[in-house]
Amino acid sequence: MLTRIPYPPVGGDKLKSYHLIKILNKHYDLNVIVITDESADNADANQFLSTHSAAYKIFSFPKHRFYINALAGLLGKEPIQVAYYYFREVKKYIDGLLPQTDFIIANLIRTVKYIEYTDKPKFLDIVDSIAINYKNAIDKVSSVFWKSIYKVEIPRITAIEERSIRTFNATFFVNKQESEHWAQTGKVRWIPNGVNPKLYDYSKTNPQYRNAIVFFGKMDYQPNIDAVTWYLKNVHSLISPDLVFYIVGVHPAPAVIKLAEKNKNVIVTGFIEDPYEIINSARAVIAPMQTGAGIQNKILESMALGKVVVATSLAARPIVGARDGEDLLVSDDPVQFAGYLNELGQDNHPYAKVAANAKILMQNYTWERYEKTLTALIGEEL
């Protein structure tokens, strides 16, 4: 069960679902269910799902029905985002499939309500612990709206995550620290995301982006908005005027565009067919995350390209094996963060070894390894 159509694989969540479907389809007769406010008429998406599943069903509802669900959740006691994605039509459809089902995978905590009481083996692909994420973010998030949402959601999400991890056969996380946090509650497993193997040999560059500093990510995602906001307000004025900051990612939020316009040498690209051309040409990639959880795919992919990543400790922490100063550069201090970027802006910067180490480390983050761990985990429970 998914809450977004996994194709095209734009953004970390869709990329993860895209690979998960391809992996599961290799080993099982897969039935994919998608609950979304996106259009179900995307021919390429339907072709992908048709090719990589035994059957699939997209439940596409208008926005107002999701908003009604969210309001019901707000006025009730369950998490807003769980209520947001719960529809009786979907529940009836899933119940009809259960007699012929060997096991179920719920993607994200949003979908657990559909199967929480079934006696079929069930797994939770939680990805990130939203409870931990919200607790860490509430004092740092730049949006007043989201700060209010976090305040309401924290106790509700904490309760449902605890209950689900305790009652599901197994739960898998992309963040090792989060899996360790929940290890006493139920059976959990750390399964980090993989990296597209094509990136290891990617060589395309463009001299236009020679002096680029890049942030790469879906730009309507609040943690990415918070990251770019922190950088623009605290770091950008401290870097060399010769460097240009590129914000690369789909759906740039109005707040990001407005803030970027107030700063010199900032370019918001929106969607780009091949973002890796900019990244591979750039001086550095930044991941100044202030909120959010899990492993940032943008970091893994940039490191696989052999780029130096300058990251805050929150962004760097989930990357097991990554050493500050050896595989990437880590700082929460704006002055030091800017200092790294200014050094990287020089042709003779001292971090060539960091770039080489980053590429080597990413050999541990492969979808092949993800596949082996996932299928072994499922096999243990069947």
Side-chain angles (χ1 to χ4, degrees):
M1 289 180 291
L2 305 171
T3 56
R4 297 192 72 199
I5 297 172
Y7 195 93
V10 177
D13 55 343
K14 289 196 174 193
L15 182 67
K16 165 70 179 299
S17 297
Y18 169 85
H19 285 285
L20 180 61
I21 287 172
K22 292 181 70 174
I23 288 168
L24 292 172
N25 187 58
K26 287 171 58 177
H27 299 273
Y28 312 101
D29 291 328
L30 180 64
N31 195 323
V32 180
I33 300 167
V34 183
I35 309 125
T36 184
D37 57 13
E38 303 166 283
S39 171
D41 296 331
N42 185 314
D44 291 337
N46 280 276
Q47 179 62 40
F48 170 78
L49 289 169
S50 177
T51 302
H52 294 94
S53 69
Y56 73 95
K57 175 77 171 177
I58 300 175
F59 288 91
S60 178
F61 298 106
K63 278 278 192 181
H64 75 268
R65 292 200 59 187
F66 286 94
Y67 295 152
I68 291 170
N69 282 356
L71 179 60
L74 180 63
L75 298 176
K77 296 182 179 180
E78 66 184 1
I80 297 169
Q81 61 186 282
V82 173
Y84 188 89
Y85 284 98
Y86 188 81
F87 296 89
R88 291 181 181 179
E89 302 97 308
V90 180
K91 173 63 173 168
K92 183 178 179 180
Y93 179 80
I94 291 172
D95 287 347
L97 295 177
L98 287 177
Q100 296 82 40
T101 299
D102 294 320
F103 68 92
I104 312 122
I105 296 181
N107 177 249
L108 307 178
I109 203 71
R110 300 166 176 173
T111 61
V112 297
K113 187 177 178 181
Y114 288 110
I115 58 169
E116 59 182 341
Y117 296 116
T118 182
D119 58 359
K120 295 283 185 175
K122 52 185 182 287
F123 302 88
L124 174 55
D125 178 22
I126 198 169
V127 184
D128 306 323
S129 171
I130 298 175
I132 294 175
N133 177 7
Y134 283 4
K135 288 174 184 176
N136 291 337
I138 192 166
D139 293 328
K140 296 181 179 180
V141 66
S142 60
S143 166
V144 175
F145 170 78
W146 280 107
K147 190 181 291 288
S148 301
I149 293 295
Y150 292 170
K151 186 174 182 180
V152 172
E153 287 281 85
I154 286 172
R156 300 181 184 189
I157 288 287
T158 301
I160 198 169
E161 285 191 354
E162 188 279 330
R163 184 171 71 249
S164 299
I165 293 169
R166 176 168 42 82
T167 58
F168 276 51
N169 291 68
T171 301
F172 29 102
F173 292 82
V174 301
N175 184 309
K176 193 172 192 294
Q177 289 77 28
E178 291 179 3
S179 69
E180 292 170 346
H181 173 89
W182 287 107
Q184 301 304 312
T185 303
K187 184 173 183 177
V188 304
R189 186 69 58 85
W190 171 56
I191 315 180
N193 289 347
V195 175
N196 184 340
K198 294 181 180 179
L199 296 181
Y200 298 121
D201 300 315
Y202 186 95
S203 60
K204 188 176 181 180
T205 59
N206 187 328
Q208 175 184 346
Y209 307 117
R210 171 177 169 76
N211 288 325
I213 301 296
V214 177
F215 179 89
F216 176 38
K218 191 160 67 75
M219 289 315 303
D220 58 353
Y221 178 52
Q222 188 60 45
N224 288 345
I225 295 172
D226 292 335
V228 168
T229 298
W230 180 85
Y231 169 84
L232 288 174
K233 288 184 174 181
N234 297 283
V235 178
H236 188 67
S237 64
L238 304 177
I239 69 170
S240 167
D242 295 330
L243 298 173
V244 181
F245 180 44
Y246 283 82
I247 303 171
V248 180
V250 297
H251 310 309
V256 171
I257 296 173
K258 184 176 181 180
L259 187 57
E261 290 173 345
K262 294 180 179 179
N263 288 268
K264 296 180 179 179
N265 294 346
V266 179
I267 297 175
V268 181
T269 69
F271 173 77
I272 292 180
E273 189 70 36
D274 182 10
Y276 304 111
E277 179 183 359
I278 296 181
I279 296 170
N280 203 43
S281 307
R283 294 285 186 172
V285 175
I286 65 169
M289 310 310 293
Q290 303 298 301
T291 60
I295 293 179
Q296 302 294 329
N297 287 297
K298 64 180 77 64
I299 301 179
L300 302 184
E301 293 184 337
S302 300
M303 293 176 72
L305 286 167
K307 304 308 296 183
V308 177
V309 173
V310 184
T312 54
S313 57
L314 178 64
R317 194 177 302 122
I319 306 175
V320 174
R323 301 158 297 172
D324 179 19
E326 298 289 335
D327 305 290
L328 75 174
L329 303 176
V330 182
S331 180
D332 296 315
D333 175 64
V335 175
Q336 185 181 39
F337 203 103
Y340 283 141
L341 296 179
N342 286 326
E343 287 185 287
L344 288 162
Q346 304 300 314
D347 291 337
N348 60 343
H349 71 75
Y351 300 113
K353 185 64 174 177
V354 173
N357 288 343
K359 197 175 187 73
I360 293 170
L361 179 63
M362 286 303 101
Q363 300 291 337
N364 296 325
Y365 288 84
T366 66
W367 289 111
E368 289 78 11
R369 177 172 289 192
Y370 181 98
E371 179 177 351
K372 290 178 181 179
T373 307
L374 175 66
T375 52
L377 175 60
I378 292 172
E380 292 171 6
E381 298 299 318
L382 299 182

